[in-house]
Amino acid sequence: MTQNFKSVAVIGAGTMGSGIATVAARGGYQTIINDVTEERVQRGIDTVTGFLRKSVKLGRLSAEQGETAISQLVGSTELKDLADCGVVIEAVFEDVKVKQELFRELDGIVSDRTLLHTNTSTLSVTGIAAGSRLPERVVGTHYCNPAPLMKLVEVAAGRHTADWALEASRDFLESVGKTTVTTKDRPGFIVNRFLIPWENNCIRALENGLGTKESIDLAVTGALGHPMGPFRLLDIIGLDIHQQVALRLYEQLREPRFAPPPMVDRMVAAGDLGRKTGRGFYTYDDTRLFGS
Ligand SMILES: NC(=O)c1ccc[n+]([C@@H]2O[C@H](COP(=O)([O-])OP(=O)(O)OC[C@H]3O[C@@H](n4cnc5c(N)ncnc54)[C@H](O)[C@@H]3O)[C@@H](O)[C@H]2O)c1
């Protein structure tokens, strides 16, 4: 390994941030979870802790492994707390200005060898890296949702990403049990190029009355071998996130299959965003940010 990864930070304690923090803590790293308010940080920590305890109950982790991972979590609302981190992973809103500003601020705080990872779904890694004085250490690492369960992470270099940063990023991801695929810095990378049109098709099938949400989910898990049906998955992803990613890809690629179907717009307008609001395609008592 070319880097000291002892301590990792995840900025943004939402759906993806809490999932990625789970991966880092479970992988043995001290993991700082940073967000803009104490409340959001605590929600993220509760989500990670809940997931790890459930993993122990399900026999996926020993009680000791679970408690060790939980003891690695540190909450933070100040970027200066991240000064000693070897890897900083941003999972904040999908807004290039917010991400650039974050990396600009981090430049003055972390060491020049600290890896800056962006978990963007649709933005250009090169564009985000332009916010940093040292774009060579900025790498696109796109986790799949739910991050603690999905093994794959797409790795994309920006125009100025250095080979050492790519290599060290892959080392880090492998050390937390992830499989990586390398892709180009293009809208949607590999996974969303396939996933978004497919999810849209499932939603259109539901709108057209081809089946109920339950029957479509069952057809997909039972016949296609997916671990989860499209509507369960969309509820975990968040309908707002799906809408935003689909629209961004549609705007960039100009192919109608990427455009979000009207049902998505109606659900977002109603606040039925999925698991995080307790109601999406299905309803939930447990609004923790990702399933287990
Ligand atoms: N949801 C998915 O399925 C998915 C999958 C892969 C990648 N992504 C990408 O991951 C990123 C996060 O998505 P999400 O679904 O977790 O969003 P989310 O809305 O659930 O969480 C975002 C979090 O970032 C925090 N935040 C915003 N600005 C911040 C700042 N300056 N400093 C600290 N915290 C800040 C917010 O308070 C919020 O808690 C986005 O870029 C998204 O495109 C999402």
Side-chain angles (χ1 to χ4, degrees):
M1 269 190 210
T2 49
Q3 294 277 119
N4 167 15
F5 293 137
K6 256 186 236 146
S7 183
V8 170
V10 181
I11 306 181
T15 308
M16 291 311 291
S18 26
I20 296 167
T22 307
V23 171
R26 193 176 59 186
Y29 295 103
Q30 184 189 63
T31 303
I32 300 178
I33 303 184
N34 175 280
D35 207 308
V36 288
T37 66
E38 298 280 355
E39 196 193 352
R40 289 190 188 183
V41 170
Q42 195 52 51
R43 188 178 184 206
I45 290 179
D46 290 347
T47 299
V48 178
T49 305
F51 182 90
L52 290 168
R53 297 235 157 98
K54 191 147 182 197
S55 301
V56 170
K57 261 198 201 144
L58 294 172
R60 292 179 188 153
L61 288 180
S62 71
E64 194 192 341
Q65 285 169 325
E67 288 312 310
T68 304
I70 291 167
S71 72
Q72 304 275 27
L73 301 170
V74 180
S76 149
T77 53
E78 308 253 8
L79 287 183
K80 65 176 167 46
D81 300 336
L82 280 50
D84 295 330
C85 290
V87 187
V88 176
I89 306 153
E90 75 75 17
V92 302
F93 300 137
E94 186 77 341
D95 179 324
V96 71
K97 291 221 165 65
V98 174
K99 290 181 192 284
Q100 282 179 337
E101 179 54 33
L102 201 54
F103 282 178
R104 194 168 297 125
E105 276 184 62
L106 283 166
D107 275 345
I109 295 170
V110 299
S111 106
D112 285 359
R113 295 287 285 186
T114 295
L115 297 171
L116 300 185
H117 286 179
T118 171
N119 183 49
T120 182
S121 307
T122 59
L123 301 169
S124 150
V125 176
T126 302
I128 294 167
S132 172
R133 171 175 59 83
L134 297 168
E136 59 264 36
R137 40 82 171 263
V138 176
V139 180
T141 58
H142 182 244
Y143 291 71
C144 299
N145 191 357
L149 298 179
M150 304 303 280
K151 263 196 100 67
L152 190 95
V153 177
E154 295 180 278
V155 176
R159 189 170 169 83
H160 298 297
T161 306
D163 287 346
W164 68 262
L166 265 184
E167 200 182 308
S169 298
R170 287 198 202 98
D171 285 347
F172 167 71
L173 288 162
E174 277 163 28
S175 77
V176 292
K178 294 297 181 193
T179 303
T180 60
V181 285
T182 303
T183 179
K184 287 210 187 282
D185 181 20
R186 300 284 184 278
F189 305 120
I190 298 170
V191 171
N192 278 330
R193 286 280 183 124
F194 297 128
L195 180 66
I196 297 298
W198 179 77
E199 292 277 24
N200 284 344
N201 264 341
C202 296
I203 297 165
R204 288 188 199 106
L206 181 66
E207 269 187 320
N208 293 336
L210 194 64
T212 61
K213 57 185 185 293
E214 290 86 358
S215 58
I216 296 172
D217 270 352
L218 190 59
V220 165
T221 53
L224 303 184
H226 290 212
M228 201 182 285
F231 302 112
R232 287 271 171 217
L233 180 60
L234 279 162
D235 278 355
I236 289 178
I237 290 171
L239 273 295
D240 54 335
I241 300 293
H242 176 80
Q243 180 193 45
Q244 195 183 62
V245 171
L247 261 182
R248 292 245 160 101
L249 292 183
Y250 176 56
E251 282 161 13
Q252 294 178 78
L253 301 168
R254 312 271 165 169
E255 293 178 42
R257 64 201 180 102
F258 287 100
M263 181 183 265
V264 174
D265 299 338
R266 289 196 297 274
M267 290 177 73
V268 172
D272 294 346
L273 305 185
R275 198 172 170 123
K276 59 187 166 189
T277 56
R279 187 162 61 179
F281 288 100
Y282 296 92
T283 51
Y284 303 88
D285 293 331
D286 178 1
T287 57
R288 271 179 309 194
L289 299 167
F290 49 81
S292 51

